[in-house]
Amino acid sequence: LLVFINGHFSRGLSSLDNLPSGLTVGSLAEHIGSGDALLEEQMGRYLDVGRDAFCALNTAFAEDGGYVHIGRGAVIEGAIHLLFVSTGTDAPTMSHPRNLIVGEENSQAAILEDYVSLASGVAFCNSATELVASDNAVLSHYMIEQEHTQTFNVSTLRIQQGRSANVASHSVLVGGALVRNNVHPVLAGEGSECLINGLFVGNGRQHIDNYMLVEHVSPHCGSRQFYNGILDGHSHGVFHGRIIVHKDAQKTDAKQTNRNLLLSDDAQIDTKPQLEIYADDVKCTHGATIGQIEGDALFYLRSRGIDEASARRLLLVAFASECLERMKEDGIREHIEKLINERVLQMAVARRGLGG
């Protein structure tokens, strides 16, 4: 467990004892000062600061963040937890966490980035994470955003995959006033696989924006994108999924799906699945759906003696479970299930109170 308070590493709140063999974790700032050769080689190598203004801003102002190095052949049991805490102050605060995660050949690990608030207050968090999966590495990355609804959160996950590397990215977005979630995997090694899985839940006047850019560079690679959104009140969601199949990426197999539920007449979703294919031997599909809770399903549950709020909660949980079931780490999935259950219960009760 690595804890960061308003972007700064807190050794006293962190737990770094009894680390398994092959695992190095700690403060990025401290490891930069130690002259770590691997860190110097990999940090800043993959983020495109020329294209992405927020990555450039992070590079300019980053002070600290998490450093995770999984050695060759190391299999790490349990999750490596990076907890970013906003304490809330009278004056607005700003932080730019910078994380570097390197999994060497044949390594396996799960990493959780968790963003929380202890109190209300305007805060801006602009994080950037570079994740390097070397040949045959199997890495899972989880990002949970559950900050207060006065916060602004922009996160960028840049993934670089080697030959036959397998990476899963899971995003759960339930907090914040304005949230921008960028995920950019590059399947650079032949035979690599990538899963991009996400769930976002908005209410009030939240704005939750998801931008996925998947680049297939080498042949015989596969990617899957599944994002589900639940929006209520005056909330606004965005899904922009873009798959680029480069000229040499023959035998690419890519799929992209975005599904959304709108619980109120004022909720809004903008969805844009997009394919750019420059190879001629590929299999690529994309699609998006937007709908409301099915009236017949709600009536069926009500006719079996289930009250309206519970019936709505069951249907919303079933919709969310499509994403949760793809999460393989039991402890993280159970934590997320509890979080989602609490949120959808609040929404179901609110809908009953509105008579809709």
Side-chain angles (χ1 to χ4, degrees):
L1 171 65
L2 279 72
V3 179
F4 298 84
I5 305 297
N6 296 327
H8 297 278
F9 179 61
S10 173
R11 183 171 293 277
L13 296 176
S14 302
S15 175
L16 300 174
D17 298 328
N18 302 317
L19 295 180
S21 176
L23 175 64
T24 302
V25 297
S27 160
L28 185 67
E30 292 179 4
H31 279 271
I32 289 176
S34 70
D36 188 309
L38 178 67
L39 187 151
E40 293 180 1
E41 176 190 350
Q42 298 290 353
M43 184 176 174
R45 183 176 176 181
Y46 304 107
L47 287 178
D48 188 352
V49 296
R51 184 188 66 86
D52 192 317
F54 284 103
C55 288
L57 189 68
N58 177 280
T59 301
F61 290 100
E63 297 182 40
D64 208 346
Y67 175 54
V68 179
H69 174 211
I70 307 107
R72 181 173 300 179
V75 178
I76 308 303
E77 301 292 339
I80 302 162
H81 191 179
L82 309 181
L83 179 60
F84 297 89
V85 181
S86 172
T87 59
T89 61
D90 293 335
T93 62
M94 178 173 65
S95 62
H96 299 272
R98 182 63 168 263
N99 306 305
L100 176 62
I101 302 165
V102 179
E104 293 197 41
E105 290 86 349
N106 300 299
S107 61
Q108 297 183 32
I111 302 95
L112 167 62
E113 286 185 39
D114 198 355
Y115 295 83
V116 303
S117 299
L118 296 183
S120 60
V122 177
F124 171 51
C125 179
N126 173 37
S127 65
T129 299
E130 292 174 288
L131 188 154
V132 182
S134 302
D135 296 353
N136 300 300
V138 179
L139 301 179
S140 297
H141 179 275
Y142 293 81
M143 190 273 196
I144 304 177
E145 199 288 321
Q146 50 179 324
E147 294 171 301
H148 192 273
T149 52
Q150 286 183 295
T151 61
F152 300 81
N153 185 293
V154 177
S155 65
T156 300
L157 173 62
R158 171 65 169 85
I159 304 170
Q160 185 75 10
Q161 297 186 221
R163 184 182 181 90
S164 299
N166 191 314
V167 176
S169 165
H170 304 278
S171 303
V172 178
L173 315 173
V174 296
L178 186 151
V179 176
R180 168 79 173 199
N181 173 39
N182 301 303
V183 181
H184 180 189
V186 176
L187 287 76
E190 185 174 354
S192 57
E193 301 281 340
C194 185
L195 167 66
I196 303 178
N197 179 48
L199 175 65
F200 56 99
V201 181
N203 205 348
R205 294 191 175 273
Q206 289 179 272
H207 182 101
I208 303 176
D209 189 329
N210 301 278
Y211 178 66
M212 312 291 114
L213 172 59
V214 180
E215 291 192 63
H216 285 262
V217 176
S218 295
H220 300 281
C221 294
S223 68
R224 295 290 184 269
Q225 297 180 54
F226 302 101
Y227 258 69
N228 283 12
I230 302 173
L231 301 170
D232 202 355
H234 290 79
S235 60
H236 187 181
V238 178
F239 174 83
H240 183 182
R242 185 180 176 195
I243 298 175
I244 300 178
V245 181
H246 290 261
K247 180 180 178 181
D248 295 330
Q250 303 294 346
K251 303 296 183 179
T252 287
D253 184 0
K255 182 177 182 180
Q256 181 185 90
T257 303
N258 173 228
R259 303 182 64 208
N260 305 281
L261 278 181
L262 303 184
L263 305 184
S264 76
D265 293 337
D266 297 312
Q268 182 179 345
I269 180 70
D270 298 324
T271 180
K272 184 182 179 182
Q274 184 178 1
L275 298 175
E276 294 183 30
I277 303 173
Y278 300 100
D280 55 13
D281 187 5
V282 303
K283 182 171 69 174
C284 298
T285 63
H286 64 171
T289 62
I290 303 170
Q292 298 175 322
I293 287 182
E294 180 61 43
D296 290 344
L298 187 62
F299 176 79
Y300 176 84
L301 293 174
R302 293 291 308 278
S303 69
R304 295 304 186 270
I306 301 174
D307 64 87
E308 182 179 347
S310 297
R312 288 183 177 275
R313 183 184 65 82
L314 284 172
L315 293 174
L316 292 177
V317 167
F319 181 77
S321 294
E322 296 177 0
C323 293
L324 301 183
E325 289 172 356
R326 299 187 187 101
M327 302 176 182
K328 303 303 181 183
E329 282 69 29
D330 293 340
I332 299 178
R333 186 181 65 248
E334 290 169 4
H335 170 65
I336 294 174
E337 286 175 347
K338 182 179 179 181
L339 177 64
I340 296 300
N341 277 327
E342 292 173 353
R343 295 302 169 105
V344 299
L345 177 59
Q346 294 171 2
M347 299 171 84
V349 171
R351 281 286 101 201
R352 181 184 62 182
L354 294 173

